[in-house]
Amino acid sequence: MANTIDVAIKEHCLRLLTFREHSQKELRAKLMQKGYLLEDIQPIIDQLAQDNWQSDRRFAENYARHRLRKGYGEVAIRYELKQKGIDFALDLHGILLAVAEDWMDLLTQVYNKKYGEISPIPRLEWAKRSRFLMQRGFSSSQITQFASESRILHF
C-alpha cells in the first residue's frame, strides 16, 4: 500500500500533467518547491513515465511545435529544451514540417512578419535584422543563405 506522501506526490504530478506536458526536470523542480524530497519524488515520476502519463519525448515534441509556431529557430529550441532537461536527439525537422516546409521557409515567414516584404536594404540595416534572426534561434549559415537567396543586401 502506498503511503500518503506517495499519493500526494502522484496526485500533484497528475494535476500538473492534465494542464500540459511537463519534462521530468520540471516536475521534480515543482515538487521540490512544494517541499517534497527528491528520494520521494523520483520513484513516482519514474512510474508515471513507465505508465506513459509523463513522457519527455512527448513534452519535447509539443514544446518544439509550439516554439516553431512562434517563429523560433532550431538553435533556440534545442537550447531551451536542454534547459528543461531534454538531452536526447529530437527530430526537429519532422516536427518543422507541420509548421513550414523547411528552415528557410520558417526563417522567411519570421522575417516577413517582422519586416514585411523582402527588398534590398543597406548593410547596417541588414546587420540589425540578422541579429534579430539570430536571437530567434536561426544559425548564421541559415541567415547567410537567406540573404544570398533573397538578394536582400543593397551595396
Side-chain angles (χ1 to χ4, degrees):
M1 175 149 181
N3 68 34
T4 56
I5 292 176
D6 290 352
V7 171
I9 291 171
K10 185 173 182 178
E11 286 177 357
H12 195 81
C13 285
L14 291 174
R15 202 172 20 252
L16 290 169
L17 291 168
T18 58
F19 290 110
R20 71 167 176 87
E21 294 287 344
H22 286 72
S23 70
Q24 287 192 16
K25 182 178 179 181
E26 287 179 322
L27 286 176
R28 275 192 303 273
K30 287 182 178 187
L31 289 165
M32 288 174 74
Q33 278 182 332
K34 289 284 184 186
Y36 296 111
L37 301 174
L38 183 59
E39 56 266 14
D40 294 331
I41 297 168
Q42 195 58 52
I44 304 298
I45 291 176
D46 291 342
Q47 186 62 49
L48 289 171
Q50 186 178 341
D51 295 342
N52 205 28
W53 284 95
Q54 188 281 329
S55 166
D56 277 351
R57 179 161 299 282
R58 198 169 52 229
F59 165 79
E61 289 170 355
N62 286 340
Y63 186 84
R65 198 173 296 109
H66 171 74
R67 298 305 279 168
L68 284 166
R69 280 193 206 106
K70 293 280 189 183
Y72 286 87
E74 182 177 13
V75 176
I77 293 169
R78 288 198 187 280
Y79 175 78
E80 291 169 0
L81 284 172
K82 194 166 191 166
Q83 297 300 98
K84 293 182 177 296
I86 307 298
D87 291 350
F88 54 82
L90 184 65
D91 178 23
L92 279 179
H93 184 71
I95 298 167
L96 170 70
L97 294 177
V99 178
E101 289 182 26
D102 60 17
W103 291 109
M104 294 312 301
D105 184 37
L106 181 64
L107 194 152
T108 304
Q109 289 175 21
V110 169
Y111 183 89
N112 286 341
K113 184 176 179 182
K114 174 83 173 171
Y115 299 109
E117 288 299 311
I118 297 171
S119 60
I121 56 173
R123 279 202 179 275
L124 189 59
E125 181 60 25
W126 172 245
K128 289 180 195 175
R129 293 180 183 194
S130 64
R131 277 193 302 274
F132 165 76
L133 294 170
M134 282 186 142
Q135 289 170 343
R136 278 301 182 105
F138 295 99
S139 70
S140 57
S141 62
Q142 290 169 332
I143 295 168
T144 302
Q145 181 183 350
F146 171 73
S148 173
E149 289 177 5
S150 63
R151 297 188 161 119
I152 204 164
L153 290 176
H154 175 70
F155 296 98

